Amino acid sequence: TTANNLTRGDISWTSASASNFLNGLSSWFTGPNNRIIGRKIAEKAKEEAINSKDPLDMNFALSSLITLYYRDRDKHDYFKKAISYCRAQIKIQAVAKRAFLNEYPNEALPSHVGYNQLVIVLEKEKKYHDAISLAKEAKSNGWSGDWDKRILRCQKRLTN
């Protein structure tokens, strides 16, 4: 069928999974006039990640979706979708963490888009206790980020 042309067939030029390939492709469509295409490709990457043997495929697909939906957060229900994807990525963070540490044993964990974006949103909504709690969780789980700075800023705002 034509619905799966991007993800089926003999792909001999890459060892990437279909999800990984599509996720990379979606990153080419982040401009304001192209995000609708990027979102469709990233949604397909997420769909492919469900059956992937690599748990990082879902982590990266969710990262892309968070970014693509949050950039257009003022349209449709995209803000809610971005937040939902943040929560989904946070929910699988332990599995992603194990996969990162297994694949890159001598490296620090990268930043985590879901934690980062949700902490920013909570701070903007003046939900400082929730932002602090989530930033502390991200830090304790080892994800890279400016967690101490965010925690301190939210604590200062609580006392003002």
Side-chain angles (χ1 to χ4, degrees):
T1 69
T2 58
N4 293 320
N5 283 350
L6 285 173
T7 59
R8 299 291 180 260
D10 182 26
I11 302 170
S12 58
W13 51 271
T14 182
S15 62
S17 66
S19 178
N20 187 303
F21 166 74
L22 291 170
N23 195 52
L25 182 61
S26 75
S27 71
W28 286 72
F29 298 93
T30 57
N33 298 325
N34 297 321
R35 281 196 284 269
I36 189 167
I37 298 165
R39 284 189 292 271
K40 285 181 181 185
I41 295 169
E43 290 284 0
K44 183 65 176 172
K46 180 183 69 106
E47 192 179 301
E48 290 291 324
I50 292 168
N51 299 316
S52 175
K53 291 175 179 66
D54 185 351
L56 292 178
D57 282 347
M58 183 60 78
N59 182 72
F60 290 129
L62 291 169
S63 286
S64 293
L65 287 164
I66 292 164
T67 302
L68 287 162
Y69 279 108
Y70 192 77
R71 285 186 180 163
D72 287 328
R73 62 191 170 276
D74 55 335
K75 297 177 184 165
H76 310 290
D77 61 344
Y78 292 172
F79 179 78
K80 282 194 330 195
K81 280 189 177 201
I83 298 306
S84 172
Y85 287 135
C86 286
R87 294 189 192 287
Q89 192 186 34
I90 290 167
K91 195 172 189 177
I92 65 163
Q93 69 84 26
V95 173
K97 177 181 174 176
R98 272 193 304 278
F100 270 115
L101 294 175
N102 191 38
E103 196 162 327
Y104 308 101
N106 300 319
E107 309 256 337
L109 287 175
S111 62
H112 190 282
V113 175
Y115 273 126
N116 194 49
Q117 191 63 67
L118 193 51
V119 168
I120 289 168
V121 166
L122 292 169
E123 190 176 347
K124 283 182 179 181
E125 292 176 346
K126 297 182 175 22
K127 296 178 180 174
Y128 301 122
H129 289 291
D130 293 339
I132 290 166
S133 176
L134 197 61
K136 285 180 177 179
E137 179 183 316
K139 181 183 176 185
S140 73
N141 285 323
W143 296 99
S144 294
D146 59 352
W147 306 118
D148 290 331
K149 192 169 100 181
R150 290 185 181 283
I151 291 164
L152 191 61
R153 186 171 56 234
C154 287
Q155 286 171 335
K156 283 181 182 175
R157 291 189 172 146
L158 277 172
T159 58
N160 291 340

